[in-house]
């Protein structure tokens, strides 16, 4: 279906994994779109108009009508442009994909954010939580719903690969920035292999920012948070401030502790 | 082969009640198994090992978890009868958005009201927040009879079970939702005219008694 560039417009942020999800889906579908980079510290009136409830990226405009929340946007794209489907056909498989998309956003994402926003004993506990979540995914890959698959979607990447994949690269970034070991290839061999395969996909390579850029970004935010910690007395205030700093700077990046997409 | 459908849930669970309404709308026969949330069955723990929560729909032995996922599953499997989600992708996106919004906001906010242990400030803030959320939903409903348009749809099913918890919120929070959101309460009454809703949803006073007992049990009095 021929689409003029003005038909699709995406408001996003270069470091937002939620934005990357939508960019990847559009790329997989061969859809052209206009991209608008949002300054999340100074959101445009358009963004606030089109997402009045959450005021966040990404927002997809299709024929001037907004769709918000990345997993909802992905399903919208899949239902509107039916070539190269990203959702499974079977209803039970679709339910499993949706379930794990929620898991990514309600459990794994916030757990990773908690690692980033903490240090010392608190961070150790947060790392354990990420490991618990990865264990569940590893089990599904080893002997559960995704047994024997190269990708969660089967031979090709599907919605769950997009949702988990655009975000999991942060785990690797965090490993380097904070010297933690989140994606341990020995503990999570299948997840590790899946992530490597995902990142090697041509379309994924073209979307995800260079690792150096992500590292620099994460280091900057982390340093800011730690310096705030040093100058603030109460732990509660520190955590809240750190979270706010991370969220305001990264709005919708998995670093933030918010759970909404 | 006849379908075997089992629903693991709890009679007062807003999320479980959504599924029950959806099954009733589709006229699906199913076995309801009441779970004791303090002593969960091995079937529940096996069927939902990730969250260990209700509701879980088990269809011919295969579990489906999370109410919003279950309702979409029901809609896709039992295609005779009314569609619960709109056909148009944009309207579907909108329905998913509001259902997700309802799921994320009302339950935690309402909990802060009724589970409150003497912190008046927290309770007052939660009350204000809840009224704000319900007014927002009222605005979204507009002049339509239902969120689904002329008939009950996905968003209606997602929201209406909370109406049986309004009495709990109002009594603990000392306010009137009818007074704050009359249009929403009119919508609740329209929903109640449907058998799928009136036969499924519990008495609000029963829900309140249950919550009083639960509050005591959790040491929140």
């Amino acid at each position: 279906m021929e689409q003029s560039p003005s038909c699709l417009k995406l408001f996003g942020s270069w470091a937002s994994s939620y934005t990357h999800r939508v960019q990847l889906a559009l790329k997989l579908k061969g859809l052209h779109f206009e991209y608008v980079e949002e300054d999340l510290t100074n959101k445009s009136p358009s963004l606030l108009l089109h997402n009045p409830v959450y005021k966040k990226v990404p927002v997809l405009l299709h024929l001037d009508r907004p769709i918000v929340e990345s997993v909802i946007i992905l399903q919208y794209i899949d239902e509107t442009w039916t070539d190269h489907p990203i959702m499974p056909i079977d209803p039970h498989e679709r339910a499993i994909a949706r379930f794990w998309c929620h898991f990514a956003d309600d459990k794994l994402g916030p757990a990773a954010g908690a690692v980033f926003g903490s240090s010392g004993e608190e961070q150790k506990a947060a790392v354990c939580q990420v490991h618990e979540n990865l264990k569940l995914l590893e089990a599904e890959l080893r002997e559960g719903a995704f047994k024997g698959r190269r990708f969660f979607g089967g031979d090709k990447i599907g919605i769950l690969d997009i949702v988990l994949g655009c975000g999991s690269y942060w785990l690797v970034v965090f490993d380097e920035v904070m010297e933690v070991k989140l994606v341990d290839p020995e503990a999570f061999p299948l997840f590790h292999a899946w992530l490597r395969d995902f990142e090697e996909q041509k379309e994924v390579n073209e979307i995800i920012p260079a690792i150096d850029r992500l590292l620099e970004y994460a280091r900057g935010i982390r340093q800011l948070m730690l310096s705030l910690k040093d100058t603030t007395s109460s732990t509660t205030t520190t955590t809240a401030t750190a979270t706010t700093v991370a969220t305001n700077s990264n709005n919708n990046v998995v670093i933030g502790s918010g759970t909404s997409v | 082969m006849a379908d075997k459908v089992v629903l693991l849930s709890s009679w007062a669970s807003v999320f479980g009640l959504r599924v029950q309404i959806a099954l009733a709308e589709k006229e699906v026969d199913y076995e309801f198994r009441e779970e004791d949330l303090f002593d969960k069955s091995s079937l529940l723990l096996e069927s939902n090992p990730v969250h260990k929560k209700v509701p879980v729909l088990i269809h011919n032995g295969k579990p489906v978890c999370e109410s919003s996922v279950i309702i979409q599953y029901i809609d896709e499997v039992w295609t005779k009868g009314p569609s619960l989600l709109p056909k148009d992708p944009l309207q579907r996106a909108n329905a998913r958005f509001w259902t997700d919004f309802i799921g994320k906001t009302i339950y935690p906010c309402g909990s802060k009201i009724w589970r409150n242990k003497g912190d008046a400030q927290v309770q007052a803030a939660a009350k204000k927040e809840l009224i704000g959320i319900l007014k927002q939903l009222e605005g979204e409903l507009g002049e339509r009879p239902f969120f689904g348009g002329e008939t009950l749809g996905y968003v209606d099913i997602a929201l209406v079970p909370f109406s049986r918890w309004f009495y709990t919120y109002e009594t603990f929070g000392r306010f009137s939702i009818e007074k704050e959101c009359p249009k929403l309460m009119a919508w609740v009454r329209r929903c109640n005219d449907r058998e799928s809703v009136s036969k499924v949803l519990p008495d609000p006073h029963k829900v309140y008694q249950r919550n009083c007992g639960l509050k005591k049990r959790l040491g929140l009095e």
Side-chain angles (χ1 to χ4, degrees):
Chain A
M1 187 178 158
E2 271 289 311
Q3 296 286 354
S4 71
S6 59
C7 169
L8 278 171
K9 195 171 185 176
L10 176 65
F11 295 85
S13 167
W14 77 270
S16 159
S17 45
Y18 303 108
T19 300
H20 298 155
R21 289 171 176 180
V22 179
Q23 287 174 303
L24 180 54
L26 291 168
K27 198 172 254 289
L28 289 168
K29 296 273 187 179
L31 295 166
H32 298 291
F33 61 97
E34 184 192 337
Y35 177 76
V36 176
E37 175 72 17
E38 279 286 328
D39 175 357
L40 298 179
T41 60
N42 185 21
K43 291 171 185 175
S44 71
S46 291
L47 178 64
L48 302 176
L49 173 73
H50 294 307
N51 191 358
V53 176
Y54 296 123
K55 306 174 176 41
K56 289 182 172 182
V57 294
V59 174
L60 183 71
L61 276 189
H62 179 213
L63 300 167
D64 294 324
R65 291 170 310 178
I67 306 104
V68 308
E69 299 285 276
S70 65
V71 175
I72 293 175
I73 298 172
L74 294 180
Q75 292 181 90
Y76 174 81
I77 291 169
D78 205 43
E79 289 166 7
T80 307
W81 294 278
T82 51
D83 283 345
H84 312 290
I86 60 173
M87 278 287 281
I89 298 172
D90 173 71
H92 192 253
E93 294 251 354
R94 290 160 73 84
I96 290 173
R98 286 179 178 130
F99 173 87
W100 287 101
C101 284
H102 290 175
F103 177 84
D105 286 343
D106 297 341
K107 295 282 179 194
L108 183 58
V115 171
F116 189 74
S118 60
S119 8
E121 286 307 310
E122 211 185 305
Q123 191 180 66
K124 276 195 193 140
V127 170
C128 280
Q129 195 50 54
V130 171
H131 286 167
E132 287 306 310
N133 291 331
L134 290 179
K135 253 187 226 166
L136 291 165
L137 281 164
E138 186 74 16
E140 290 300 314
L141 283 162
R142 191 174 54 243
E143 62 216 358
F146 311 114
K147 184 178 175 180
R149 295 189 196 180
R150 187 181 176 211
F151 298 111
F152 291 101
D155 295 327
K156 290 197 210 149
I157 60 178
I159 193 171
L160 185 54
D161 298 278
I162 296 170
V163 168
L164 274 170
C166 294
S168 289
Y169 48 77
W170 283 117
L171 299 175
V172 173
V173 169
F174 293 174
D175 279 354
E176 189 148 334
V177 170
M178 290 172 297
E179 290 169 22
V180 289
K181 208 164 187 184
L182 293 173
V183 191
D184 183 348
E186 278 178 32
F188 315 112
L190 296 170
F191 184 85
H192 186 262
W194 161 79
L195 186 56
R196 184 204 56 219
D197 281 355
F198 174 79
E199 287 171 356
E200 277 172 8
Q201 296 295 290
K202 176 170 155 285
E203 295 87 354
V204 174
N205 230 321
E206 287 167 7
I207 298 291
I208 310 237
I211 189 90
D212 292 337
R213 219 178 150 200
L214 294 174
L215 281 167
E216 190 192 337
Y217 186 68
R219 283 194 180 110
I221 304 289
R222 176 84 183 158
Q223 248 171 0
L224 181 60
M225 276 201 288
L226 291 174
S227 68
L228 279 169
K229 220 169 182 171
D230 286 338
T231 56
T232 318
S233 47
S234 114
T235 324
T236 326
T237 320
T238 307
T239 316
T241 313
T243 307
T244 311
V245 165
T247 310
N248 283 345
S249 307
N250 312 309
N251 217 329
N252 288 333
V253 175
V254 76
I255 300 174
S257 72
T259 54
S260 56
V261 292
Chain B
M1 191 186 89
D3 271 330
K4 182 165 162 71
V5 184
V6 176
L7 177 63
L8 308 180
S9 188
S10 169
W11 70 271
S13 160
V14 282
F15 301 104
L17 290 165
R18 291 172 164 184
V19 177
Q20 286 181 265
I21 295 172
L23 288 166
E25 280 285 311
K26 294 282 192 176
E27 294 177 13
V28 176
D29 286 325
Y30 66 100
E31 180 195 339
F32 180 89
R33 292 198 200 166
E34 178 73 25
E35 284 285 334
D36 175 354
L37 300 180
F38 288 92
D39 185 16
K40 291 170 183 175
S41 72
S42 52
L43 181 60
L44 174 60
L45 300 175
E46 278 161 26
S47 307
N48 190 356
V50 175
H51 302 299
K52 305 176 177 42
K53 287 183 175 180
V54 294
V56 178
L57 187 80
I58 306 176
H59 181 206
N60 294 332
K62 288 186 182 173
V64 182
C65 308
E66 299 212 345
S67 63
S68 62
V69 175
I70 298 172
I71 297 171
Q72 292 184 80
Y73 175 81
I74 289 168
D75 204 33
E76 289 168 9
V77 170
W78 289 278
T79 49
K80 281 190 208 166
S83 268
L84 303 178
L85 275 88
K87 296 267 187 248
D88 171 67
L90 187 68
Q91 287 179 26
R92 286 165 81 83
N94 208 43
R96 287 178 176 132
F97 174 85
W98 288 106
T99 298
D100 178 65
F101 174 81
I102 289 161
K104 283 205 271 252
T105 56
I106 299 181
Y107 191 82
C109 190
S111 288
K112 280 187 221 164
I113 297 173
W114 75 270
R115 285 181 175 230
N116 190 272
K117 197 178 175 183
D119 190 332
Q121 229 175 348
V122 165
Q123 197 183 57
K127 215 165 80 183
K128 192 173 171 197
E129 196 188 337
L130 182 66
I131 292 167
I133 291 163
L134 296 177
K135 278 194 197 290
Q136 206 163 11
L137 289 165
E138 237 184 5
E140 174 56 24
L141 178 67
E143 299 307 313
R144 296 175 292 171
F146 300 101
F147 290 90
E150 293 305 309
T151 56
L152 213 69
Y154 188 46
V155 180
D156 303 275
I157 293 172
L159 181 57
V160 76
F162 284 101
S163 68
R164 297 320 194 251
W165 282 64
F166 286 173
Y167 180 71
T168 297
Y169 302 148
E170 288 169 316
T171 311
F172 280 102
R174 280 189 268 263
F175 67 114
S176 159
I177 294 176
E178 176 76 58
K179 196 167 157 214
E180 302 287 346
C181 306
K183 281 187 163 179
L184 197 69
M185 293 312 292
W187 163 82
V188 171
R189 287 187 282 275
R190 280 194 293 279
C191 289
N192 289 341
D193 284 340
R194 284 194 76 77
E195 242 184 45
S196 61
V197 174
S198 58
K199 285 203 164 163
V200 160
L201 295 189
D203 184 313
H205 292 90
K206 255 188 104 182
V207 173
Y208 173 72
Q209 292 304 331
R210 176 259 192 196
N211 292 335
C212 287
L214 189 56
K215 201 168 167 173
K216 207 171 183 174
R217 191 171 179 178
L218 295 170
L220 294 168
E221 281 192 317

